[in-house]
Amino acid sequence: MSPPENTIRTKTDGNILIVTIDRTQARNAVDGATATALYEAFKAFDADDTLSVAILTGADGNFCAGADLKAVAIGKGNPSHTEGDLGPMGPSRLQLSKPVIAAVDGYAVAGGLELAIWCDLRVASPSAKFGVFCRRFGVPLIDGGTVRLPRLIGASRAMDLILTGREVSAEEAHTIGLVNYLTSDETALPYALKIARDIAAFPQLCMKADRASALSQWSLSEEDAIRAEFAGGLNVLKAGSAKEGASRFSKGEGRHGKF
């Protein structure tokens, strides 16, 4: 199904889905139709057993400049439902079973920053710029920004960005842990694809179980989190994934760091 007005583009690279926000006239700012299209694309990704990893990026040199305030001003703003898993920026409330990587060029600000930190990993090119720019216009963070940002980079650094709304370069973002990988390439997508292929090549049941445990533990006590980790891991062991991996290792795979 084509998204409304072609505001996003999707393509597959083997078992990897690439989702591109394509509203270049607005630095890929997200209006209501685009938010819904993004949401539907990632719901479909999670339900598709042939896909293992997704990449979220933006067209023509920018990731996403947040919500489209011009659309908001004329009454065509983003979804604002209290309940349900459709967030104002689209997928920001979804809890997927598979990883998503943000490939960031240019501006990833306001709601665009929130989309980037919704992803599991972030790859940035030298042009990347991050910030809570919505601070300047009295628009709050309502797509998880005040929750995910402190968890990613710590309370003190997150509060700095939240209160000041200042611009953060790609280099600083990498230094403070907001960006996982900083590439020297002109665009972040090729490096993000490399990482996605590496992740997609691993035994998926085990990877998804460890990822789910790392995400769910925030709301649990340490004791309950460790218990939940073991329960998820036990399901992997019962499925035979570890035994198959051990057999490959005994035959020489993985020796001396080679996979």
Side-chain angles (χ1 to χ4, degrees), residues 151 211-222 224-226 228:
R151 292 181 178 185
R211 175 183 176 274
S213 177
L215 290 173
S216 66
Q217 57 89 19
W218 289 104
S219 62
L220 303 174
S221 68
E222 182 178 11
D224 288 343
I226 291 173

Side-chain angles (χ1 to χ4, degrees), residues 71-96:
V72 172
I74 61 173
K76 296 183 178 180
N78 297 29
S80 56
H81 312 295
T82 303
E83 303 299 327
D85 57 5
L86 173 61
M89 292 293 291
S92 56
R93 296 178 189 169
L94 289 177
Q95 296 181 340
L96 304 184

Side-chain angles (χ1 to χ4, degrees), residues 15 24 28 34 39 59 69-70 101 145 161 164 190 199 203 209 253-254:
N15 54 357
T24 56
N28 299 323
T34 307
Y39 169 83
L69 297 185
K70 291 182 179 179
I101 300 170
L161 303 191
T164 67
I199 294 172
E253 184 175 337

Side-chain angles (χ1 to χ4, degrees), residues 159-230:
M159 195 61 74
D160 171 26
L161 303 191
I162 290 168
L163 294 182
T164 67
R166 67 182 180 85
E167 182 177 300
V168 177
S169 68
E171 292 79 5
E172 182 183 356
H174 186 239
T175 298
I176 65 177
L178 179 56
V179 163
N180 300 91
Y181 300 94
L182 184 60
T183 176
S184 59
D185 295 340
E186 184 176 345
T187 66
L189 184 57
Y191 200 99
L193 269 169
K194 176 185 180 301
I195 296 167
R197 290 174 184 136
D198 288 345
I199 294 172
F202 289 128
Q204 292 297 291
L205 182 63
C206 178
M207 182 275 294
K208 290 196 287 186
D210 285 350
R211 175 183 176 274
S213 177
L215 290 173
S216 66
Q217 57 89 19
W218 289 104
S219 62
L220 303 174
S221 68
E222 182 178 11
E223 181 181 2
D224 288 343
I226 291 173
R227 186 180 293 114
E229 176 195 63
F230 183 79

Side-chain angles (χ1 to χ4, degrees), residues 119-130:
C119 298
D120 295 84
L121 300 173
R122 283 147 297 283
V123 179
S125 68
S127 68
K129 301 175 182 67
F130 302 85

